[in-house]
Amino acid sequence: MRPGRPRLDGSTSAKAGQPSGLGVDSGLGVDSGLGVDSAVRLAGDADHSVQHSARQNPALPSDVLISLLLDEHSAEDAAQNPSIPTAVMHRMIALTAIPEREPGR
């Protein structure tokens, strides 16, 4: 990973050099320590790298996460969130499945 600006998920971007404590990798996954309100606010931040990390943060409430999944500008980031409800995940898979072709077509 390139050294750089701290991100909410504990990784860094290429802008700065010092970790900020916004993300801690416990070895079991990312524990950002963010509260729900902070995660929701940062998901709409003006800085794209902050948005990207916040949209993947498990602290986001399901209703906010689902609305991000439905928005074409945030769906790719939100789809990487480990807290996507199981029913929503199944629906996403069903929508992207390639239909089987009938023989002879």
Side-chain angles (χ1 to χ4, degrees):
M1 176 120 344
R2 301 182 310 227
R5 183 175 180 184
R7 295 175 50 173
L8 299 177
D9 62 2
S11 65
T12 57
S13 70
K15 292 187 181 177
Q18 299 295 325
S20 69
L22 290 175
V24 176
D25 187 347
S26 64
L28 299 173
V30 175
D31 175 14
S32 70
L34 284 180
V36 171
D37 293 338
S38 295
V40 171
R41 181 177 48 80
L42 292 172
D45 194 89
D47 184 331
H48 180 71
S49 66
V50 172
Q51 289 177 5
H52 172 76
S53 296
R55 290 170 179 164
Q56 297 176 17
N57 192 297
L60 286 175
S62 295
D63 61 327
V64 173
L65 183 54
I66 291 168
S67 69
L68 291 170
L69 288 165
L70 294 171
D71 182 329
E72 68 181 73
H73 301 291
S74 60
E76 188 173 340
D77 292 337
Q80 297 174 44
N81 190 310
S83 295
I84 297 173
T86 305
V88 174
M89 199 176 309
H90 285 283
R91 181 68 177 146
M92 290 168 56
I93 292 168
L95 290 171
T96 60
I98 299 171
E100 291 185 31
R101 297 176 73 178
E102 291 183 29
R105 285 194 171 187

